[in-house]
Amino acid sequence: MTAELVRGQNHPLPQTRLEIRVTAGAPVMACATLGDAQGAVRGTEWIAHPGSPALPGIEVSRQAAVRLRFHVDLDALPEQVHLVHVLLALPEGSGGPDRFGTTAAPFAAVTSTDGTEIAGFTLTGLDAESAVIALELYRRQGGWKVRAVGQGYAGGLAELFGDQGLPQARALAAGIQDAVTRPLAGPAQVPPPGGPDSARGRPDGLPSSAATASAPSAAADPVPQSRSPEPEPADAVSVPRSADGSRGAVNYTHPGRQTSAPPTPPPATPPARPGEPARPVAGDATGWSMDERLYNQVWGMFEDLARSVAAYRSAKDFAESRMDQELDRVLSDPRNRVGGAGDAAREAARAKHDQLVGQAREVLDRDLAQLMAESEVVEPALPPAYARWDHPVWHAYRVPGEVPMALRLGDVHLPEGPDLRIPMLVRLPLERGLWVDSGRSGSDDALMMDDDQLRALAMDAAVAHAGRLLAVYPPGEFTVQVIDPAGSAATALAPLTASGMLDEPPAAGAGGVAAVLAKLTQRVDLVQMAVRGGAAESLPPDLDIAEQLLIVNDFPHGFDDRAVTQLRYLADEGPAVGVHLLMVADREDARAYGPVLDPLWRSLLRITPVPDDHLADPWVGHLWTYEPPMVPRGSRVLRQVLEQAASARRSWRR
């Protein structure tokens, strides 16, 4: 479970081989300094920087970029090293920003080598600083911890190195800047400041949303996945079989994921007549396949919309601040508070405000129009895993032969462009469970419904998500189980039960709840032991090693304390070994448990059965409105797709 750190907070590191992934709003360069037991840096030989990127136990990126990685092996550090400072700095002389206050707040995530996020820290509050100590890794009682620092320096690397007691700090900083500036003279890696009409900085290969995603709060949840989808494989257990049926090694990589650099995309747009904007095309991004290029293109659209709206809101704030300052300056003279001079000054200030806002809106409208045009060519080209349920691709559905890169969980949009909806894609295999909130979230749509309607709609949404997962996985690689203690979801579950996609009927009553949770908990334990011991062949032959989705309806009804503990265990440990939760619950129903269940809610990605603006993007501070991907009323598309998938699964089992 990811720890979201604030400045000064620390968190234990469960392992010593790590990656530190940095996402920034402009190219930054990476450095690291090593310190002894007193925190002293003994010399330049204890500094990793782009001109000398590798030291025993740590390696930094050679160039400035909006996405950086530090590779860390704490066991390989010299014994004298007790402290590692992770540094970020803006390159000088590259044409980019000269202080962090003019860019989006950088985000640093400490992850395991397989991409599992351990802790994250958003470096907010920076202004005139051009260099910052982002994180600190330090020894403590035989182990290692990470601390969020966020200490900035307006004097850049020279001031930072001087503060650490390094001699000739200014010359050292100048040498590092020179090593970085030369590569930056080539193709620019700076995100386009103007929006989608400038060259888009495409992702190289997730919520994170963001985002990958950080911990949801009661008020707002982070956009899932990082804004910059990563090329590394997500965690999912796969135990291949050889021709004689014996099990091979446990493999955590996505079966279709490439590890080398993807090819460059085809020409971005067909030629346009002079004076016309470039015509968008589907697949205008890097990637090994059309699906990967579309995935990266969608996230590029998300980034462009976020940037454009952030620029518009910033311009509005500037215009309002300027108007207030001008009015204060005029009205500070009592003679101007009444009479024609005061009125004229007020009108002039408001006119200037309206002009600035109007200019900003024109730029935003231009960006929205281009993104809308891109959306109109991308949506028809999307494969089933990325497509809405009303997309024609579902009527030509064929059972897939491999797992797709991502899955559509719905759409997101911003109030400045409500007609422009960006697909909300999350990487597969799922890295965290899902929570369909059946409570009153505060949205207008939820407040207009009674409790029974909202619960029924939430279960319909859960079945639509489960059906999509079953449809996009190859036969035999994904199964669904259901806990419905009171049997209240029979109508919503009809597409799953009627098609035969459930191996067992929904578990009812306290006994059914206990049996299902005990079985899945045992599966997680066995696969974890096999993975850690490298002994996949020791798994029982009758153990179903396909990915599992557990739908839980009406939580916590039917759950005793032991069942609640098992559910929390599955939420925390299950995704790494292919067991995922899909909770349909109202948090208010579980309020009797108090803070005991807070870790459970934080471990799940909250989505809603009705539109709701609860997805918070720490990158630029937007609240995105989420819309669920519901099956059109009266449509049989979900049942037809599941029937076809069930038929393929029966054939596969013969």
Side-chain angles (χ1 to χ4, degrees):
M1 189 165 55
T2 303
E4 292 300 320
L5 305 181
V6 296
R7 188 173 276 104
Q9 187 178 3
N10 61 57
H11 186 74
L13 294 173
Q15 55 204 77
T16 56
R17 290 177 59 85
L18 306 165
E19 286 186 354
I20 299 174
R21 304 181 179 186
V22 175
T23 304
V28 294
M29 55 185 181
C31 300
T33 58
L34 309 181
D36 58 20
Q38 288 72 43
V41 182
R42 296 189 176 181
T44 57
E45 67 276 9
W46 275 24
I47 305 175
H49 56 81
S52 178
L55 293 178
I58 190 163
E59 183 175 357
V60 303
S61 299
R62 293 176 178 271
Q63 295 185 4
V66 294
R67 287 177 288 279
L68 295 175
R69 295 203 183 183
F70 297 74
H71 299 276
V72 182
D73 185 352
L74 297 172
D75 287 337
L77 291 170
E79 291 184 4
Q80 310 95 303
V81 173
H82 287 251
L83 186 70
V84 179
H85 275 143
V86 175
L87 316 179
L88 304 176
L90 294 169
E92 299 174 359
S94 63
D98 59 358
R99 59 190 184 94
F100 280 109
T102 60
T103 71
F107 176 77
V110 181
T111 75
S112 61
T113 53
D114 63 8
T116 303
E117 192 167 315
I118 299 169
F121 174 43
T122 302
L123 284 74
T124 57
L126 298 176
D127 186 9
E129 299 88 344
S130 59
V132 62
I133 301 175
L135 299 172
E136 179 180 85
L137 312 180
Y138 61 99
R139 295 184 192 266
R140 178 70 68 190
Q141 297 178 346
W144 285 86
K145 289 189 173 185
V146 58
R147 177 183 288 118
V149 181
Q151 174 64 52
Y153 294 83
L157 280 176
E159 182 182 355
L160 191 157
F161 289 150
D163 193 44
Q164 293 190 339
L166 286 163
Q168 299 181 334
R170 189 169 300 279
L172 174 61
I176 295 173
Q177 290 283 1
D178 184 60
V180 172
T181 304
R182 284 197 302 269
L184 280 180
Q189 302 183 51
V190 184
D197 55 331
S198 52
R200 174 179 294 155
R202 295 291 179 184
D204 297 327
L206 199 149
S208 324
S209 174
T212 218
S214 49
S217 65
D221 304 322
V223 173
Q225 292 290 346
S226 168
R227 297 169 302 281
S228 310
E230 300 288 351
E232 278 63 29
D235 289 345
V237 66
S238 171
V239 185
R241 298 181 184 271
S242 58
D244 61 1
S246 61
R247 296 187 178 186
V250 177
N251 176 20
Y252 279 87
T253 62
H254 185 289
R257 197 67 44 77
Q258 301 286 343
T259 56
S260 55
T264 55
T269 55
R273 288 193 293 270
E276 291 184 357
R279 296 190 296 273
V281 295
D284 179 14
T286 58
W288 285 97
S289 65
M290 187 61 174
D291 285 3
E292 187 173 357
R293 292 200 298 270
L294 287 168
Y295 171 81
N296 289 342
Q297 185 173 14
V298 166
W299 276 99
M301 293 166 61
F302 173 85
E303 290 179 345
D304 285 346
L305 179 57
R307 256 194 310 265
S308 296
V309 172
Y312 170 69
R313 293 180 180 178
S314 177
K316 281 185 64 178
D317 291 343
F318 171 76
E320 291 172 2
S321 174
R322 176 170 176 166
M323 181 177 68
D324 291 342
Q325 291 174 2
E326 291 179 352
L327 291 175
D328 288 343
R329 188 166 54 250
V330 170
L331 298 179
S332 62
D333 186 347
R335 293 171 298 179
N336 293 331
R337 293 177 186 174
V338 294
D343 293 340
R346 294 185 186 93
E347 290 300 325
R350 292 192 181 96
K352 185 62 176 178
H353 166 272
D354 294 343
Q355 179 186 2
L356 292 174
V357 173
Q359 291 172 348
R361 185 70 209 194
E362 287 179 5
V363 174
L364 176 63
D365 289 342
R366 180 197 65 199
D367 293 347
L368 292 176
Q370 188 163 344
L371 283 169
M372 184 67 75
E374 188 170 10
S375 176
E376 290 172 354
V377 299
V378 168
E379 279 285 355
L382 295 178
Y386 305 173
R388 296 191 183 102
W389 282 112
D390 59 358
H391 196 294
V393 72
W394 288 109
H395 298 287
Y397 169 75
R398 294 292 181 269
V399 178
E402 61 181 13
V403 181
M405 172 169 285
L407 185 84
R408 187 172 191 157
L409 283 185
D411 296 337
V412 293
H413 65 84
L414 292 170
E416 285 81 358
D419 295 332
L420 176 59
R421 285 163 167 76
I422 307 296
M424 177 177 160
L425 303 180
V426 296
R427 294 284 284 269
L428 290 178
L430 294 172
E431 296 180 0
R432 60 192 296 199
L434 305 175
W435 164 31
V436 183
D437 188 354
S438 60
R440 296 188 179 278
S441 59
S443 70
D444 293 340
D445 296 84
L447 294 174
M448 294 294 291
M449 297 182 180
D450 60 38
D451 291 343
D452 291 339
Q453 285 179 312
L454 204 52
R455 293 177 190 273
L457 197 60
M459 197 61 201
D460 287 340
V463 171
H465 290 302
R468 182 184 294 266
L469 281 163
L470 287 166
V472 302
Y473 269 79
E477 295 192 20
F478 198 90
T479 61
V480 172
Q481 300 186 55
V482 179
I483 289 178
D484 186 20
S488 60
T491 301
L493 291 169
L496 296 175
T497 54
S499 64
M501 289 302 289
L502 297 182
D503 291 336
E504 298 177 0
V513 172
V516 171
L517 292 177
K519 180 180 178 181
L520 288 177
T521 301
Q522 182 186 40
R523 181 197 180 281
V524 171
D525 289 339
L526 289 173
V527 177
Q528 276 187 339
M529 288 188 291
V531 169
R532 291 168 181 168
E537 68 280 354
S538 65
L539 288 171
D542 59 342
L543 182 70
D544 184 5
I545 49 82
E547 288 194 62
Q548 309 272 332
L549 179 72
L550 175 61
I551 302 176
V552 179
N553 184 41
D554 276 351
F555 176 81
H557 303 299
F559 283 73
D560 56 19
D561 290 345
R562 177 180 174 81
V564 169
T565 301
Q566 289 175 318
L567 195 69
R568 286 184 53 186
Y569 176 74
L570 293 178
D572 290 340
E573 304 295 334
V577 289
V579 175
H580 314 283
L581 291 185
L582 177 50
M583 299 269 294
V584 181
D586 180 358
R587 190 168 182 172
E588 282 298 306
D589 292 343
R591 64 183 179 275
Y593 286 92
V596 172
L597 288 181
D598 287 351
L600 173 65
W601 305 120
R602 287 197 298 267
S603 68
L604 304 173
L605 172 61
R606 176 176 172 252
I607 52 180
T608 53
V610 293
D612 187 66
D613 58 349
H614 67 278
L615 292 176
D617 182 0
W619 185 42
V620 287
H622 296 331
L623 274 180
W624 294 79
T625 297
Y626 166 80
E627 290 197 8
M630 305 300 286
V631 178
R633 186 179 297 275
S635 173
R636 287 185 50 82
V637 62
L638 177 58
R639 290 176 180 259
Q640 292 170 352
V641 166
L642 290 178
E643 288 169 359
Q644 192 170 343
S647 176
R649 189 168 69 162
R650 288 191 292 269
S651 300
W652 173 81
R653 286 178 172 175
R654 292 194 186 104

